[in-house]
Amino acid sequence: SFSLKKGEVLGITGLLGSGRGEIGDALFGVQPADSGSIALNGRDIRIRSIGDAMKNKIAYVPEDRLTQGLFLDRSILDNTVAASLPDYFHGISLDHKALLRDSEAWVEKIGVVTPSVHPPIRTLSGGNQQKVVLAKWLNTKPELLLLNGPTVGVDIGAKADIHGILRSLAADGVGIIVISDDLSELITNCNRILIMREGRLACEVNSSDCDESRLAALLSGKEGDA
């Protein structure tokens, strides 16, 4: 069991096979939980599918953007609005002007380097692709944002940009869960960090009281649980 406050960034980590990724999959309905309960804003909710998660304003940036997060042959615009496309229909008509407006606004806001939103997403660098995945979900106006390996395979500049976006979202009251094996990323960006071992939550630490050496020891169980 664990809790998350509005505006808090919670880190979850563990060695490969610890079960860290399954938490994100369960909360977003990719692999629904078999038991237990989930409450959001003090209200019990049921997450049996991705649709259930989206209806409850939950968003998920997956671990593998190429196979799970993007439509590689579609445009930057199409990818940016993919998760919120129903919002742009008026009856049976699609508001193309609004699609273009919002896509261009997100590209500018999160710093995607591109001359326009029309090229295929595969033409962008890994860091810019990841920013578009993030923009796709931010366009749904989530209350809970889950990120699994948010800066894997991105350059140092894009990594800093993504971390800045997360801090800004937290300041606006969005609850954020970062699932990562990047210990420096967790300590720098998270308020608290949960350590998973063998499918269970082994312990919890405050990032202000922890360094990479201690966190690494907790991952392997070489230090007593906090």
Side-chain angles (χ1 to χ4, degrees):
S1 296
F2 64 91
S3 61
L4 175 72
K5 297 178 181 178
K6 289 184 177 182
E8 184 180 24
V9 183
L10 177 68
I12 300 178
T13 190
L15 299 176
L16 189 64
S18 64
R20 66 179 190 232
E22 283 79 354
I23 291 181
D25 288 347
L27 289 174
F28 195 60
V30 177
Q31 190 175 8
D34 294 325
S35 61
S37 62
I38 300 170
L40 187 64
N41 294 323
R43 178 175 59 88
D44 286 342
I45 60 174
R46 291 174 63 86
I47 304 295
R48 297 301 182 194
S49 66
I50 291 172
D52 287 343
M54 292 178 66
K55 288 176 185 176
N56 284 285
K57 292 294 184 179
I58 300 173
Y60 188 31
V61 176
E63 187 172 22
D64 188 343
R65 62 178 169 271
L66 297 181
T67 62
Q68 297 176 303
L70 296 168
F71 299 99
L72 291 173
D73 294 323
R74 305 292 297 187
S75 68
I76 298 165
L77 186 158
D78 289 346
N79 277 274
T80 305
V81 300
S84 49
L85 196 58
D87 297 337
Y88 294 92
F89 276 95
H90 302 296
I92 61 172
S93 299
L94 187 60
D95 190 341
H96 292 280
K97 288 184 178 179
L99 290 170
L100 179 61
R101 179 197 65 217
D102 291 349
S103 180
E104 290 179 338
W106 277 114
V107 161
E108 181 178 358
K109 184 173 183 178
I110 65 176
V112 176
V113 180
T114 178
S116 79
V117 296
H118 300 296
I121 192 78
R122 66 167 65 252
T123 63
L124 297 181
S125 67
N128 284 304
Q129 287 179 348
Q130 187 72 342
K131 289 179 183 179
V132 173
V133 177
L134 187 55
K136 175 181 73 175
W137 289 111
L138 295 184
N139 199 42
T140 67
K141 302 177 178 62
E143 296 183 13
L144 171 60
L145 176 63
L146 314 167
L147 305 103
N148 192 347
T151 58
V152 172
V154 307
D155 61 70
I156 190 168
K159 186 174 184 178
D161 289 344
I162 291 170
H163 289 168
I165 293 167
L166 297 185
R167 287 191 289 271
S168 178
L169 290 169
D172 289 339
V174 177
I176 300 172
I177 296 177
V178 177
I179 303 167
S180 177
D181 59 3
D182 185 332
L183 304 188
S184 174
E185 176 172 73
L186 293 169
I187 292 170
T188 301
N189 295 283
C190 300
N191 304 103
R192 295 179 293 128
I193 303 170
L194 306 179
I195 291 91
M196 296 282 296
R197 286 202 299 267
E198 298 179 354
R200 296 180 178 275
L201 290 174
C203 60
E204 174 186 320
V205 295
N206 290 323
S207 57
S208 59
D209 300 328
C210 197
D211 58 23
E212 288 187 50
S213 297
R214 183 183 175 216
L215 194 53
L218 288 168
L219 287 180
S220 61
K222 293 180 179 179
E223 180 177 324
D225 293 348

